[in-house]
C-alpha cells in the first residue's frame, strides 16, 4: 500500500485523476489485505456455529441454523470453564512474573556498568535458541524432583523460564535507549536505584513492556507442548489441550474445534482491543523524546 | 501418584496388622490411560470393563483417562523415565522401545494367557513372555462402493477378488467416469499411501519373501518388486488417487469415500468401523450406504493371492515401575476373558486379539461383520504392517517415499526403490 | 532533554556525584538474581543436560558413553543437511517478508488510513491464533479440491495454476513460509507502530515541511530512525525461524520427500518418533544447532548493528 501512496505523493503537481486512481488502488490493497488477514478468522467464526456434518458438505456456506449450543457443549460438557480458568491462572501469573523479573534484569543490564554484564546478557539471551523439544525431558525430570509435576505452579514456572530470554532481550534493547540524562537527574533528586526503576524505567518503558506483555501472553495462551507433557490431570488442563480433545484420531470435530477456538480467542481479542488503545494513547501522549 | 502410594501403604499396613476391616481401608488407586476419546464404542467397552472390575474389587480404585494416542505417547515417553507413568497405559506393538527399554512388566503371572488368541501373542512376546493385552486387532481390507463399481461397469467376481488387469480396468473406468478410483490420503498418517502397494507385494511375493523384504534381506530391486511397483505407478499415473492425496487426512478420506465426492474403493484397516459406524450426523457413514468388502487384487503370477495382512493395534500394558501391580494385574486379568473379547467384537465391529466367540455376536452391524468374516475365510495371514517391521530411518523413508511421494506420483519407480534400499536393505 | 536542562543549577559539580552508571552489588543482586535463578534452575540445567547427553547413546535407563560418535554421524546425515538448508532458507528470507510487511502496515496506519482503529485489530488477529488453528485453517486454504486458493485461481481463469500446494516438493516450503508470514506480520506491525509513534515528531514534521514525498521520507527519515527496532525484529524473527516447529509438524510433518524438514522437526522426530529412547543423537543435533544459531546472531548483530549501540 505504501507503494501506491508513494505513487500518489511523489508528484504533488499531478492531475487529480492518477491521484484518485492511487487512492482507489490504496483502498483496494488495504481492503484485500484485510480480507486476507481477517477472512480466515471470520470463516472460522462461521464454522463455530455449524456442525461438522454441515461443514463437510459445504465449507463456505452461511450457518443455518445457528448452532449456538456448540458453545454450551464446549463450556459445560467439555469442561472449558475449568480449562479457561486454569489457562488464565497460569498465563496471567507467568506473564506478570516474567515481565517484572525480566524488566528488572533488563534494566540492570542496560543501565549499569559492571564486570560480566555482557556475559550475563549473552547467557540469558542464548537460551532463547535452545529447541524446547529437546530440553523437555530434562525439565520434566526437574519438575518431578521438586514435586511440581502435574501442577499448575510447575507449568507456570516453566512458562516463566520459557519467555524470560525474549523478555530480557526486547526490554534491554529498549531500556538502553532511554537517555542517561534522565537517570542522572533522578539521582540528583535523591532517587534510589529501586525508585528509579519503579518511577522512571517502568513508566517510560511502557510501550516496550506492553509489547512484551502482548507477545508473552499470546505465546503462552496458545502453548501446547509443555502443557500436554507436564499436565496429565484432566482438572488441570489448559485451553489448548481442551481444544485438542476435539481433534480425534479418526475424526476431527471441526465445528467443536472452531467453537473451542472462539472461546479461547475472543477474550484475547477483546483484551487486545482494550489494551492496544491504551498502548497507542500512552505512546503518543507520554512519548519520551 | 503420591496419594496412590500413600493409600497403598495404608492398605498394606491395615492388612498386616489385621485390626482394621477392609471396608475402612482406603482403596488403592491405580492410573490407567486409554486411547479412543473420540470413538464411543471402544471408549464404552473400556469404561465398562473398569466399572465391572471396581465393583468386584473394592480394594482397588481406577482413575481412567481417555487421551488421544499421540499425546499418550508424548507423555509416556517422558513419564516412564521418571517413574511417573500410569500403572496401565495404551500402547501399540509398533512402539517396541518401551519394551526394549525395560519399562513394561511381563503379564504372564497376572493374566490367563488362554484368554488371548494364539496369533495375537507374538505381537507382544519377547524372550518367551507376553507384555501386552492385545485388545484391538485388524486386517487390511479393501472397502468399495457397490453401486459406483457397478455403475462404471465392473462386476466383482464371486470370490470377491479382481485380477491385476481387472483392477487396472476398474481404475481406468473410474477415471473415465470422473469418479476417483481410490480414496486415500496421507495428510495426518504415515501409512495409508502404502496400503495398495504393500498388499500387492504380499500377494506377489508370498509371506516368506515379503517378510524378507520387510526384514531388509530382500532388495527392492528384485524384479518381482519392481514389477508390482511398475503396476502401481501405472495406476497412480492413470489418476487412481485423489488430487488432494498429500493433504487429505484419514478422517477426510473416509468422508471422501462415503459422502462427497465419493470414490470406488477405500483401502483401510478394518478399524474402518471406528469412524464409519459413528452416527451419520457426526460424520459417520450414511445408513443406506452400499458398502462392500473385496479382496485386494490377485497379482499375475502371484505366490499367495489368498494372503492378507493382520496386525494388532490398541493394547494395554503394565508399567514396570507400577506401585500397585496387584491391582493393575487384577484389572488386566479381568479384561482378558472370552466374554469380553466377544463383547468387543459385538460393540466395536472389529477383530480382537482376545479370545472370542463370534457365533454369539448380535449387533446392529451383524451383516457387516458377517461379510468381514466371509472375506477372512481361508485367508493366509501375514503378521504386521510395514511400519510394524520398519524402524528409525527406514520407517521414516517408508513414510516419506512409499506412503507419500510414490503414490503421489512425485518419484519414479527406480528412485523410490533406491531410496528404500538405501534406508532398509541390509545387503 | 528538558528535564536536565531545567535543572543545571542543582548540579554542584559533575565530579561530586558518583558515576551514575555504577551501583552497589546489593542493588545488582536484587535486579538480577531472580532472573538468573530462574535461568539456572529451569533453562541452564536442562540445556547443560542436553549437551552432556549428546556424548551418550541412551537405551532405556542405560547410557553408554560414545564420545563424539553422535557428532560424527550427524556430519554424514543427509536428512540433517536437508533440514539445515530448509531452515536457513526460511530464516534468512522470511524475516525480510515479515518485517517489511509489518513496517508497511504500520506506515499505513500512521499515515491515517480510514478505519485505522479497526484495521489495527483486523491485521493483528492472525497473531492471536495458535499454530494448531493456523495450521488447520491453512491446510484447508491450500486444499486441492475445495481450498479457497485454488477456487479463486479457477474462478479467474487461472485454473492451470491450481496446485497441491503442500503436496508438491517445489511449492511446500514456500506455502509454509507464506502461512508463517501471515501469522506474524501483525506483530511486526504493532512493534513498528509503537516505534514510529515514539519518533521525535519534529523530525517528521520537518520532513513534511520540506515537502518530502512518502518515498523519500521512508528512505531518509523513517527507516534510518527505526533501524534499531527493525533490526531487533529481524533478529527476533530470524531466531523464531531457526526454531520453527509447530506449523511444519502439523501441516506437512517435514514432507513431501523432506522438502519442508526443519532442524526442530528432525530433532523431535529423532527424540520422539524413531522408536527409541535414545536422547543422545537428537541432543547432538540440538547442541550443534545451538552453536550455529548463536554464531549467526552474533554475526548478524556485527554486520547490521555495528553503529546503533553507540549512538545512545
Amino acid at each position: 500500500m505504501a507503494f501506491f501512496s508513494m505513487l500518489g505523493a511523489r508528484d504533488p503537481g499531478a492531475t487529480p485523476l492518477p491521484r484518485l486512481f492511487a487512492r482507489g488502488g490504496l483502498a483496494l490493497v488495504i481492503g484485500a489485505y484485510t480480507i486476507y488477514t481477517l477472512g480466515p478468522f471470520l470463516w472460522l467464526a462461521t464454522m463455530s456455529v455449524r456442525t461438522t456434518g454441515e461443514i463437510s458438505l459445504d465449507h463456505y456456506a452461511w450457518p443455518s441454523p445457528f448452532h449456538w449450543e456448540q458453545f454450551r457443549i464446549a463450556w459445560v460438557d467439555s469442561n472449558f470453564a475449568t480449562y479457561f480458568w486454569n489457562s488464565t491462572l497460569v498465563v496471567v501469573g507467568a506473564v506478570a512474573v516474567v515481565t517484572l523479573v525480566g524488566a528488572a534484569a533488563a534494566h540492570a543490564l542496560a543501565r549499569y556498568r559492571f564486570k560480566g554484564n555482557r556475559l550475563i546478557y549473552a547467557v540469558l539471551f542464548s537460551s532463547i535458541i535452545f529447541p524446547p523439544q529437546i530440553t523437555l525431558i530434562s525439565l520434566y525430570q526437574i519438575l518431578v524432583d521438586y514435586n511440581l509435576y502435574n501442577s499448575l505452579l510447575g507449568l507456570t514456572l516453566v512458562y516463566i523460564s520459557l519467555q524470560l530470554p525474549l523478555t530480557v532481550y526486547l526490554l534491554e534493547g529498549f531500556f538502553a535507549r532511554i537517555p542517561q540524562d534522565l537517570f542522572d537527574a533522578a539521582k540528583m533528586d535523591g532517587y534510589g536505584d529501586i525508585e528509579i526503576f519503579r518511577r522512571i524505567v517502568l513508566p517510560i518503558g511502557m510501550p516496550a513492556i506492553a509489547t512484551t506483555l502482548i507477545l508473552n501472553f499470546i505465546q503462552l495462551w496458545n502453548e501446547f507442548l509443555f502443557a500436554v507433557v507436564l499436565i496429565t490431570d484432566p482438572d488441570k488442563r489448559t485451553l489448548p489441550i481442551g481444544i485438542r480433545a476435539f481433534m480425534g484420531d479418526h475424526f476431527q470435530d471441526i465445528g467443536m474445534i472452531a467453537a473451542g477456538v472462539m472461546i479461547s480467542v475472543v477474550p484475547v481479542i477483546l483484551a487486545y482491543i482494550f489494551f492496544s488503545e491504551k498502548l497507542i494513547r500512552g505512546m503518543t501522549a507520554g512519548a519520551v523524546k | 501418584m503420591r496419594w496412590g502410594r500413600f493409600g497403598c501403604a495404608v492398605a498394606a499396613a491395615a492388612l498386616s496388622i489385621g485390626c482394621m476391616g477392609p471396608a475402612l481401608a482406603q482403596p488403592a488407586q491405580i492410573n490407567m490411560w486409554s486411547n479412543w476419546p473420540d470413538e464411543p464404542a471402544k471408549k464404552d467397552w473400556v469404561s465398562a470393563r473398569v466399572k465391572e472390575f471396581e465393583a468386584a474389587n473394592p480394594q482397588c480404585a481406577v482413575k481412567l483417562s481417555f487421551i488421544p494416542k499421540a499425546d499418550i505417547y508424548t507423555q509416556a515417553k517422558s513419564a516412564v523415565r521418571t517413574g511417573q507413568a500410569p500403572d496401565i497405559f495404551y500402547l501399540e506393538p509398533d512402539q517396541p522401545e518401551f519394551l526394549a527399554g525395560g519399562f513394561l512388566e511381563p503379564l504372564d503371572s497376572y493374566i490367563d494367557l488362554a484368554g488371548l488368541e494364539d496369533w495375537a501373542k507374538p505381537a507382544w512376546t519377547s524372550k518367551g513372555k507376553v507384555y501386552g493385552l492385545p485388545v484391538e486387532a485388524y486386517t487390511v481390507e479393501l472397502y468399495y462402493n457397490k453401486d459406483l463399481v457397478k455403475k462404471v461397469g465392473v462386476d466383482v467376481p464371486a470370490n470377491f477378488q479382481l485380477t491385476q488387469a481387472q483392477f487396472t480396468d476398474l481404475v481406468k473406468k473410474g477415471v473415465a467416469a470422473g469418479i476417483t478410483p481410490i480414496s486415500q490420503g496421507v495428510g495426518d498418517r504415515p501409512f495409508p499411501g502404502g496400503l495398495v502397494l504393500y498388499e500387492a507385494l504380499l500377494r506377489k511375493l508370498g509371506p516368506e519373501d515379503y517378510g524378507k523384504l520387510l526384514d531388509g534381506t530382500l532388495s527392492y530391486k528384485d524384479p518381482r518388486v519392481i514389477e508390482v511397483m511398475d503396476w502401481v505407478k501405472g495406476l497412480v499415473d492413470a489418476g487412481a488417487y485423489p488430487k488432494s492425496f498429500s493433504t487429505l487426512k484419514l478422517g477426510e478420506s473416509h468422508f471422501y469415500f462415503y459422502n462427497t465426492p465419493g470414490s470406488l474403493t477405500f483401502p483401510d484397516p478394518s478399524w474402518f468401523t471406528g469412524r464409519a459406524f459413528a452416527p451419520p450426523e457426526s460424520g459417520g457413514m450414511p445408513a443406506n450406504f452400499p458398502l462392500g468388502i473385496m479382496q485386494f487384487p490377485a497379482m499375475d503370477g502371484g505366490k499367495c493371492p489368498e494372503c492378507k495382512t493382520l496386525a494388532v493395534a490398541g493394547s494395554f500394558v503394565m508399567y514396570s515401575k507400577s506401585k500397585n501391580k496387584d491391582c493393575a494385574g487384577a484389572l488386566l486379568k479381568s479384561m482378558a476373558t472370552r466374554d469380553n473379547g466377544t463383547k468387543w467384537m459385538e460393540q466395536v465391529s472389529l477383530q480382537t486379539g482376545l479370545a472370542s466367540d463370534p457365533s454369539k455376536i448380535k449387533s446392529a452391524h451383524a451383516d457387516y461383520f458377517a461379510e468381514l468374516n466371509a472375506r477372512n475365510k481361508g485367508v493366509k495371514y501375514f503378521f504386521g504392517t510395514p511400519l510394524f517391521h520398519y524402524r528409525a530411518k527406514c520407517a521414516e523413508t517408508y513414510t516419506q517415499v512409499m506412503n507419500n511421494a510414490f503414490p503421489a506420483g512425485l518419484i519414479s519407480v527406480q528412485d523410490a526403490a533406491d531410496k528404500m534400499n538405501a534406508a532398509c536393505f541390509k545387503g | 532533554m528538558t528535564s536536565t536542562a531545567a535543572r543545571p543549577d542543582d548540579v554542584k559539580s559533575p565530579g561530586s556525584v558518583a558515576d551514575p552508571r555504577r551501583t552497589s552489588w546489593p542493588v545488582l543482586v536484587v535486579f538480577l538474581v531472580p532472573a538468573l535463578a530462574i535461568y539456572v534452575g529451569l533453562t541452564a540445567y536442562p540445556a547443560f543436560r542436553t549437551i552432556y547427553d549428546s556424548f551418550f547413546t541412551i537405551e532405556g535407563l542405560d547410557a553408554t558413553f560414545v564420545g563424539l560418535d553422535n557428532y560424527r554421524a550427524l556430519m554424514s546425515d543427509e536428512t540433517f543437511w536437508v533440514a539445515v538448508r530448509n531452515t536457513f532458507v526460511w530464516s534468512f528470507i522470511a524475516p525480510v517478508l515479515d518485517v517489511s510487511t509489518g513496517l508497511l502496515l504500520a506506515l499505513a496506519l500512521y499515515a491515517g488510513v480510514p478505519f485505522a482503529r479497526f484495521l489495527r485489530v483486523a491485521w493483528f488477529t492472525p497473531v492471536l491464533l495458535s499454530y494448531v488453528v493456523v495450521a488447520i485453517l491453512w491446510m484447508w486454504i491450500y486444499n486441492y479440491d475445495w481450498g479457497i486458493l485454488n477456487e479463486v485461481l479457477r474462478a479467474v481463469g487461472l485454473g492451470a495454476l491450481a496446485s497441491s500446494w503442500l503436496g508438491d516438493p517445489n511449492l511446500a516450503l514456500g506455502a509454509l513460509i507464506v502461512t508463517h508470514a501471515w501469522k506474524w506480520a501483525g506483530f511486526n506491525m504493532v512493534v513498528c507502530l509503537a516505534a514510529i509513534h515514539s519518533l521525535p515528531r519534529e523530525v517528521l514534521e520537518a520532513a513534511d515541511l520540506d515537502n518530502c514525498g512518502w518515498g523519500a521520507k521512508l528512505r531518509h527519515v523513517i527507516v534510518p530512525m527505526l533501524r534499531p527496532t527493525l533490526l531487533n525484529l529481524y533478529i527476533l524473527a530470524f531466531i523464531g525461524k531457526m526454531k520453527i516447529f509447530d506449523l511444519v509438524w502439523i501441516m506437512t510433518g517435514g514432507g513431501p520427500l523432506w522438502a519442508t524438514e526443519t532442524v526442530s522437526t528432525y530433532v523431535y522426530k529423532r527424540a520422539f518418533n524413531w522408536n527409541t529412547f535414545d536422547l543422545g543423537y537428537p541432543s547432538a543435533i540440538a547442541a550443534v544447532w545451538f552453536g550455529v544459531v548463536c554464531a549467526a546472531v552474533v554475526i548478524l548483530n556485527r554486520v547490521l548493528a555495528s553503529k546503533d549501540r553507540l549512538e545512545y
Side-chain angles (χ1 to χ4, degrees):
Chain A
M1 52 244 63
F3 174 69
F4 283 97
S5 60
M6 274 188 267
L7 274 186
R10 183 172 293 159
D11 182 5
T15 52
L17 197 61
R19 190 176 282 202
L20 198 67
F21 171 76
R23 278 249 154 139
L26 177 65
L28 207 68
V29 172
I30 286 186
Y33 190 83
T34 308
I35 292 172
Y36 168 70
T37 55
L38 202 56
F41 178 73
L42 293 179
W43 184 34
L44 195 68
T46 65
M47 286 192 274
S48 71
V49 286
R50 303 178 65 206
T51 65
T52 303
E54 291 167 2
I55 296 168
S56 304
L57 288 175
D58 183 353
H59 290 80
Y60 304 108
W62 186 250
S64 116
F66 283 75
H67 291 276
W68 295 109
E69 75 272 13
Q70 298 205 127
F71 285 89
R72 189 190 51 76
I73 293 171
W75 189 258
V76 182
D77 305 350
S78 302
N79 238 346
F80 266 55
T82 311
Y83 303 154
F84 197 92
W85 170 242
N86 291 341
S87 268
T88 310
L89 212 61
V90 170
V91 175
V92 169
V95 168
V97 173
V98 80
T99 308
L100 193 66
V101 169
H107 169 61
L109 293 171
R111 197 47 54 192
Y112 300 119
R113 291 201 191 99
F114 58 93
K115 230 182 188 155
N117 180 317
R118 287 298 93 183
L119 180 71
I120 294 182
Y121 175 74
V123 160
L124 281 181
F125 176 63
S126 65
S127 58
I128 205 176
I129 296 160
F130 241 76
Q133 296 84 27
I134 195 76
T135 51
L136 178 66
I137 289 168
S138 314
L139 213 46
Y140 186 96
Q141 178 86 59
I142 295 171
L143 291 190
V144 170
D145 290 348
Y146 290 100
N147 229 343
L148 290 168
Y149 164 71
N150 211 356
S151 85
L152 292 179
L153 180 62
L155 191 63
T156 310
L157 285 175
V158 170
Y159 280 0
I160 293 170
S161 77
L162 268 187
Q163 296 303 109
L164 184 67
L166 179 76
T167 310
V168 172
Y169 174 71
L170 282 175
L171 293 182
E172 200 268 352
F174 189 87
F175 290 169
R177 279 184 273 140
I178 300 176
Q180 181 63 28
D181 317 13
L182 278 180
F183 294 92
D184 299 350
K187 273 239 152 131
M188 267 166 253
D189 284 355
Y191 279 28
D193 290 287
I194 306 285
E195 270 183 310
I196 288 182
F197 176 64
R198 204 163 53 88
R199 312 218 353 211
I200 297 186
V201 176
L202 289 186
I204 290 178
M206 237 342 144
I209 292 174
T211 310
T212 53
L213 273 178
I214 294 174
L215 189 65
N216 286 339
F217 187 86
I218 293 164
Q219 290 194 341
L220 293 181
W221 190 255
N222 292 327
E223 203 285 331
F224 178 75
L225 182 65
F226 286 98
V228 78
V229 173
L230 299 178
I231 301 286
T232 53
D233 192 339
D235 295 337
K236 292 177 188 153
R237 287 181 188 158
T238 54
L239 276 174
I241 312 295
I243 295 170
R244 167 85 185 173
F246 297 122
M247 299 177 198
D249 214 27
H250 288 242
F251 181 60
Q252 288 207 324
D253 198 340
I254 301 164
M256 289 307 296
I257 293 172
V261 170
M262 284 298 139
I263 288 178
S264 100
V265 89
V266 166
V268 185
I269 293 183
L270 293 179
Y272 172 71
I273 291 173
F274 171 77
F275 207 67
S276 72
E277 284 295 318
K278 290 211 116 172
L279 170 69
I280 300 283
R281 206 172 300 148
M283 282 184 311
T284 41
V288 198
K289 310 203 172 161
Chain B
M1 227 25 90
R2 233 139 241 279
W3 281 108
R5 193 197 297 169
F6 179 67
C8 174
V10 169
L15 271 172
S16 62
I17 298 167
C19 63
M20 265 192 265
L24 284 174
Q26 178 116 10
Q29 197 186 58
I30 57 170
N31 282 303
M32 178 173 180
W33 290 350
S34 172
N35 180 20
W36 306 316
D38 59 329
E39 291 178 75
K42 295 174 188 172
K43 198 175 162 182
D44 290 350
W45 185 86
V46 175
S47 305
R49 297 296 80 75
V50 168
K51 282 224 177 69
E52 286 169 11
F53 169 75
E54 283 184 317
N57 297 270
Q59 78 280 15
C60 303
V62 183
K63 190 170 175 198
L64 172 65
S65 320
F66 291 96
I67 307 171
K69 182 163 87 180
D71 296 356
I72 291 183
Y73 289 169
T74 318
Q75 290 180 348
K77 276 225 165 170
S78 320
V80 287
R81 295 173 204 256
T82 50
Q84 302 295 317
D87 308 275
I88 297 176
F89 58 100
Y90 174 98
L91 208 60
E92 294 182 17
D94 62 359
Q95 307 283 320
E97 65 272 27
F98 286 89
L99 178 56
F103 296 120
L104 304 187
E105 178 79 6
L107 302 180
D108 302 56
S109 57
Y110 296 100
I111 64 171
D112 179 7
L113 290 177
L116 309 186
E117 294 279 4
D118 282 335
W119 52 259
K121 281 180 206 160
W124 283 112
T125 302
S126 166
K127 295 183 186 132
K129 294 207 187 290
V130 176
Y131 287 84
L133 196 69
V135 172
E136 183 185 39
Y138 64 88
T139 48
V140 177
E141 301 292 346
L142 184 57
Y143 295 94
Y144 72 104
N145 182 328
K146 285 179 182 161
D147 290 358
L148 285 184
V149 167
K150 195 174 277 168
K151 193 175 135 196
V152 300
V154 172
D155 288 323
V156 179
N159 68 352
F160 290 90
Q161 186 169 41
L162 300 176
T163 64
Q164 195 173 331
Q166 283 169 330
F167 194 79
T168 311
D169 183 49
L170 175 69
V171 166
K172 290 200 167 135
K173 281 184 170 147
V175 173
I179 302 167
T180 305
I182 306 172
S183 169
Q184 198 96 89
V186 295
D188 60 346
R189 286 297 191 285
F191 62 82
L195 289 175
V196 169
L197 173 62
Y198 281 79
E199 286 304 302
L201 284 170
L202 168 61
R203 284 157 181 77
K204 178 83 175 180
L205 299 173
E208 203 170 307
D209 281 0
Y210 181 66
K212 283 186 187 163
L213 184 74
L214 298 188
D215 269 358
T217 48
L218 180 75
S219 166
Y220 274 85
K221 289 295 175 70
D222 184 282
R224 292 166 298 168
V225 176
I226 294 289
E227 196 190 319
V228 174
M229 285 175 74
D230 276 333
W231 174 67
V232 173
K233 176 76 174 155
L235 299 182
V236 168
D237 292 344
Y241 289 112
K243 286 282 204 309
S244 48
F245 174 80
S246 294
T247 51
L248 201 69
K249 295 180 178 177
L250 182 65
E252 291 169 340
S253 65
H254 272 254
F255 191 86
Y256 197 105
F257 172 55
Y258 46 67
N259 291 90
T260 41
S263 71
L264 297 179
T265 67
F266 181 42
D268 203 37
S270 55
W271 35 250
F272 171 76
T273 52
R275 187 184 193 281
F277 290 172
E281 63 272 16
S282 52
M285 189 170 73
N288 54 355
F289 184 79
L291 181 71
I293 310 174
M294 66 167 108
Q295 308 288 16
F296 279 89
M299 294 292 104
D300 296 345
K303 205 160 184 192
C304 184
E306 73 280 14
C307 272
K308 184 178 275 194
T309 298
L310 167 77
V312 166
S315 308
F316 289 101
V317 296
M318 197 200 300
Y319 182 32
S320 59
K321 291 191 204 157
S322 162
K323 282 151 199 138
N324 196 338
K325 290 182 183 166
D326 291 340
C327 276
L331 171 54
L332 289 175
K333 182 183 167 76
S334 78
M335 290 170 80
T337 66
R338 183 168 292 270
D339 251 12
N340 286 337
T342 311
K343 279 183 189 148
W344 169 273
M345 283 194 168
E346 192 166 86
Q347 291 168 12
V348 184
S349 304
L350 176 56
Q351 297 100 320
T352 174
L354 303 177
S356 59
D357 210 340
S359 60
K360 286 193 186 153
I361 289 172
K362 293 184 284 290
S363 91
H365 301 288
D367 290 350
Y368 164 82
F369 215 72
E371 187 168 0
L372 182 67
N373 280 333
R375 241 29 104 243
N376 280 280
K377 229 179 210 121
V379 157
K380 193 168 175 188
Y381 287 121
F382 177 83
F383 192 84
T385 56
L387 281 179
F388 174 78
H389 295 271
Y390 285 160
R391 296 283 170 260
K393 188 171 175 60
C394 177
E396 167 75 6
T397 309
Y398 169 83
T399 301
Q400 295 273 345
V401 176
M402 295 315 226
N403 173 52
N404 190 342
F406 182 67
L410 298 172
I411 188 170
S412 72
V413 170
Q414 284 302 324
D415 287 351
D418 283 340
K419 282 199 191 300
M420 286 307 287
N421 268 352
C424 307
F425 186 45
K426 295 171 191 142
Chain C
M1 289 277 47
T2 48
S3 54
T4 41
R7 274 177 250 259
D9 311 334
D10 297 350
V11 187
K12 285 168 197 147
S13 82
S16 71
V17 180
D19 182 351
R21 304 217 74 155
R22 293 198 185 278
T23 189
S24 58
W25 281 105
V27 172
L28 283 181
V29 166
V30 169
F31 280 129
L32 285 172
V33 160
L36 285 176
I38 292 169
Y39 170 80
V40 169
L42 292 168
T43 310
Y45 173 69
F48 171 78
R49 247 314 256 285
T50 305
I51 294 172
Y52 176 79
D53 281 346
S54 71
F55 300 109
F56 290 85
T57 292
I58 302 162
E59 275 300 330
L61 296 170
D62 313 319
T64 326
F65 182 76
V66 294
L68 292 174
D69 279 7
N70 285 329
Y71 290 90
R72 250 176 249 129
L74 187 58
M75 289 306 117
S76 56
D77 184 339
E78 222 178 296
T79 315
F80 172 68
W81 290 109
V82 171
V84 168
R85 194 196 59 121
N86 291 335
T87 313
F88 268 125
V89 168
W90 200 327
S91 310
F92 281 100
I93 296 172
V96 179
L97 192 68
D98 290 14
V99 177
S100 54
T101 317
L103 177 62
L104 293 179
L105 294 176
L107 284 173
L109 290 180
Y110 183 75
V113 293
F115 312 114
R117 285 168 70 176
F118 164 74
L119 292 178
R120 194 172 66 234
V121 176
W123 293 344
F124 195 74
T125 43
V127 185
L128 301 170
L129 300 176
S130 69
Y131 277 117
V132 180
V133 174
V134 171
I136 293 178
L137 273 175
W138 279 82
M139 284 175 82
W140 290 337
I141 289 172
Y142 287 139
N143 183 292
Y144 183 88
D145 292 314
W146 48 264
I148 192 82
L149 182 57
N150 281 348
E151 293 280 332
V152 167
L153 284 174
R154 288 181 194 119
V156 298
L158 293 171
L161 290 179
S163 316
S164 174
W165 299 97
L166 294 170
D168 184 333
N170 299 318
L171 299 172
L173 187 62
L176 287 183
I177 290 177
V178 168
T179 305
H180 201 261
W182 177 82
K183 174 162 163 62
W184 283 111
F187 172 72
N188 290 294
M189 169 194 82
V190 167
V191 176
C192 286
L193 192 61
I196 296 175
H197 275 300
S198 63
L199 287 182
R201 192 157 301 173
E202 310 85 59
V203 180
L204 290 174
E205 277 162 7
D208 276 339
L209 286 180
D210 289 349
N211 213 351
C212 198
W214 265 104
K217 210 155 110 183
L218 188 62
R219 210 174 47 202
H220 298 301
V221 182
I222 295 178
V223 169
M225 296 203 70
L226 289 186
R227 235 179 99 97
T229 307
L230 296 179
L231 193 74
N232 261 352
L233 284 176
Y234 183 89
I235 290 182
L236 218 53
F238 175 82
I239 294 168
K241 267 123 213 173
M242 292 295 258
K243 293 203 299 184
I244 193 133
F245 173 75
D246 308 56
L247 200 65
V248 185
W249 188 247
I250 304 168
M251 289 179 77
T252 64
L257 286 178
W258 300 280
T260 58
E261 193 80 79
T262 67
V263 174
S264 288
T265 58
Y266 191 50
V267 166
Y268 187 81
K269 271 185 192 171
R270 296 295 302 240
F272 284 93
N273 265 39
W274 272 40
N275 301 117
T276 160
F277 277 98
D278 179 22
L279 274 183
Y281 193 83
S283 294
I285 306 177
V288 167
W289 199 238
F290 177 71
V292 170
V293 182
C294 277
V297 170
V298 168
I299 292 169
L300 274 179
N301 249 322
R302 281 279 148 78
V303 172
L304 299 171
S306 46
K307 48 186 186 174
D308 288 317
R309 290 264 178 216
L310 302 174
E311 274 176 9
Y312 290 96

